[in-house]
Amino acid sequence: MKIKYLFPLFLLTIWGCTTNEQKQEPVKYTSYVNPFVGTDGPGNTYPGATVPHGMVQLSPDNGISGWDRIAGYFWPDSTIAGFSHTHLSGTGAGDLYDILVTPRNGKSDRVVVEAGYERPVSLFSHDKEHAEPGYYTVDLLDYNIKAELTATDRTGFHKYTFPKDDKSQIIFNLGYSLNWDGPTDTYIKVINNKKIVGYRFSSGWAPVQREYFVAEFSAPIDSYELMNSEDPKKLQIVDGNEIQAKKTRGYFNFKTDDNKNVILVKVGLSNASIEGAEKNLAAENTSWDFDLVKNEASEKWNNELSKIEVTTPNEEHKKVFYTAMYQSLLAPTLLSDVDGGYKGADQKNHVAKGYKKYDTFSLWDTYRAAHPLYTMIHAERVPDMIKSFLSHYDETGLLPVWSMKGNETNMMIGYHAVPVITDAYFKGIRDFDVEKAYEACKASAMNKEGDSMEDYIKLGYVPLNYDHENWSVSKTLEYAYDDWCIAEFAKALGKEDDYKYFAKRAENWRHHYDNESTFMRPKDKNGKFIEHFIAKEYTDHFCESNAWQYFFYVPQNVDGLIDAMGGADRFEQKLDSMFSYYPTPEDNLPIFSTGMIGQYAHGNEPSHHVAYLYNYINKPHKAQKMINKIMNTQYKSTPDGVCGNEDCGQMSSWFILSSLGIYPVNPGNGVYDLGTPLFPKAVVHLSNGKTLTVIGHQTKDSPTVSKVVFNGKEIKGYQIANADLMQGGTLEFVK
């Protein structure tokens, strides 16, 4: 009798287990992200609402200028002046802050004054502030207004909950500026009692910026004033429904008769035209359902973050990892409208046909790790990024150096769009015009009007210049690396003469190697090394670095550098000294020398690859110990959790790749160097649909690896090709 009930009971048990599994909520990776990471210390990040690679970065501004407020917001500050729609993530450039929106009422007249201009501000508290991917909220304490922000690709969405007050208003301040940025021409037009349009043209780090907008309100405007604010001592209210001046403001008044009056504002952006902004808004945000848009933004983020699933009992590591994943996707940013329109670097309007146009390419930083990361898990975007490079080439005759908002800023050095292109090519990502890409690479390398390029081409190195900062050694080393990438590209395309020419230029680093000091040393046009030379000093001859930090920058020929030094033993001594020779209290360190471990500065990019160089002298255990130390000491999930400028995803991408046990010392050749993973298990959903599982048995106290096995076969030499990794399978780091 008991037996006949056993089978149904067994089925019931299985059904119950299945039902429970089906009820399990999917992992919410966004819950591990802290958008405030980097808003304190040198990180220069912003906490506001955006989507992956979005055109809009809708974020709070404290309302005061300064290095710490490069991204508009600084964690220790206590005021908010409003919410502007464009921001840079983790750079050293104080620009953007377009279309500032400020809600306020009659409960306070608090202002800050900068450059003679009064800005209404409110006190706020971090206790009444929250940020997560795609959403930001804060209580403006002086006004008792709750502000909430979310975004789509090309639109910002505001939700303001007002208390009862007879002076409630929303200000559009187009004359607002911070840091390097300043308006040159602004315009506001009231279309009807629920819609306004306009533009803000400005100049700053990027010289010619245009931001057109259309804004719609959920409630009717009761009254408004349009104001010319060019003269801070004589604000002029104008008649009519439109205003054009260098600095303009629109004050839009609303009836708020109840205790909780919600007013929504949708803002579409375009750098091409008002019509483009209207199309963007119509295509992306037709609903007045704020929570719907917020949830869609959150889902976009969760989908991106889920591309790598890490398993670890260490919650802090998980928070750091997914925050890094988040910040690696804040740039590059979308530039083209839904119909493809954008303003090009030639200041003319163009249409991106068949691709999305991106900009905000911080290439001196991001070619090292961020772009290689994209090829692994975001490969679908890589061709559009390269096509964006090629449109820049069409418009200017050169590849971008550091492009933003349809401008070339020419910030930093090198022509580092080249390794991004060659890395993609050698990884089999070729959905772009390859011959044109090669042509563009060569054009940038042969541009004699470029930064010291005439001397570099003629002499084989960049000579020092006593008249001004010229970063001579750094330029030579960076140019030589890019030349190696072009040489390999030429070889693959059968361009033998070009291959020989650029392969020779790739060895130009040797012109600066000094046997006496065993450093890369500046020299003059006559080939004479500079006399006064102290390697740890920060001088005009090295870009944001010193001779220690740039010595190891020969990723295209590490073996050649080792031989030049006299062999592996000498090279090991140099590496050991790099990580143990600490600055003294008397040393005057510049702002970019942060995250110091000896002379190694993890807060800046030139030495990001150095710990991995121990592999090249068969001392991988030293590499593993140092990589583990950097991961555990230079990253936190707190506002001061980034040890240097986050730099548009580079700092984050270093951590992501290194925590998986891989890093591209040479980021242009499709090969990864092996380190030590941070997690017991990580599952990487590769762009080609396959899965890579990384298994690690290491700990903070015992980070070393005895061998690395890929799909059952031991890897020799502590390197693995991207082509192998992309096959999927299991990469195990054996203790």
Side-chain angles (χ1 to χ4, degrees), residues 572 614-615 618-626 703-705:
E572 182 180 5
Y614 280 112
N615 288 349
N618 200 29
K619 295 294 174 70
H621 63 285
K622 284 192 171 184
Q624 294 150 17
K625 288 179 179 179
M626 186 53 61
T704 56
V705 175

Side-chain angles (χ1 to χ4, degrees), residues 333-462:
T333 56
L334 190 62
L335 188 70
S336 56
D337 296 336
V338 291
D339 63 0
Y342 70 92
K343 179 189 79 71
D346 57 358
Q347 312 313 323
K348 299 176 182 178
N349 279 7
H350 299 269
V351 176
K353 296 180 180 179
Y355 73 101
K356 292 180 179 178
K357 168 77 173 180
Y358 291 96
D359 219 345
T360 317
F361 285 111
S362 180
L363 292 166
W364 184 80
D365 308 293
T366 56
Y367 83 94
R368 304 167 196 265
H371 283 281
L373 174 65
Y374 302 153
T375 66
M376 180 179 291
I377 57 174
H378 311 298
E380 71 281 358
R381 296 190 182 101
V382 174
D384 283 3
M385 292 180 186
I386 294 176
K387 290 173 184 177
S388 298
F389 293 169
L390 298 183
S391 66
H392 188 99
Y393 169 65
D394 288 337
E395 295 153 14
T396 68
L398 300 169
L399 290 169
V401 175
W402 209 129
S403 61
M404 184 185 79
K405 290 292 179 182
N407 289 266
E408 177 57 80
T409 69
N410 281 310
M411 177 64 78
M412 308 311 292
I413 57 177
Y415 24 98
H416 293 314
V418 169
V420 175
I421 293 171
T422 61
D423 188 47
Y425 178 83
F426 288 118
K427 288 176 178 176
I429 302 173
R430 301 176 184 178
D431 184 18
F432 55 88
D433 188 333
V434 172
E435 283 294 334
K436 184 176 181 179
Y438 178 79
E439 172 190 298
C441 291
K442 184 176 178 180
S444 290
M446 299 304 295
N447 174 33
K448 291 187 177 180
E449 295 182 1
D451 195 0
S452 307
M453 285 297 295
E454 185 172 5
D455 282 334
Y456 175 74
I457 293 171
K458 178 181 177 181
L459 302 174
Y461 65 93
V462 177

Side-chain angles (χ1 to χ4, degrees), residues 226-253:
L226 301 181
M227 183 178 293
N228 182 337
S229 59
E230 188 167 346
D231 184 350
K233 297 180 180 179
K234 190 178 179 181
L235 303 180
Q236 296 179 325
I237 298 176
V238 302
D239 295 329
N241 70 332
E242 62 183 328
I243 181 173
Q244 180 181 1
K246 182 178 180 181
K247 296 183 177 183
T248 60
R249 300 180 191 175
Y251 293 79
F252 302 97
N253 306 306

Side-chain angles (χ1 to χ4, degrees), residues 590-625:
I591 56 175
F592 41 74
S593 279
T594 55
M596 300 292 286
I597 302 175
Q599 290 298 313
Y600 175 87
H602 193 69
N604 209 4
E605 279 66 31
S607 48
H608 270 189
H609 66 294
V610 174
Y612 288 88
L613 297 184
Y614 280 112
N615 288 349
Y616 291 74
I617 52 171
N618 200 29
K619 295 294 174 70
H621 63 285
K622 284 192 171 184
Q624 294 150 17
K625 288 179 179 179

Side-chain angles (χ1 to χ4, degrees), residues 270-282:
S270 167
N271 83 329
S273 65
I274 290 174
E275 293 74 21
E278 289 180 319
K279 289 179 182 179
N280 292 340
L281 187 58

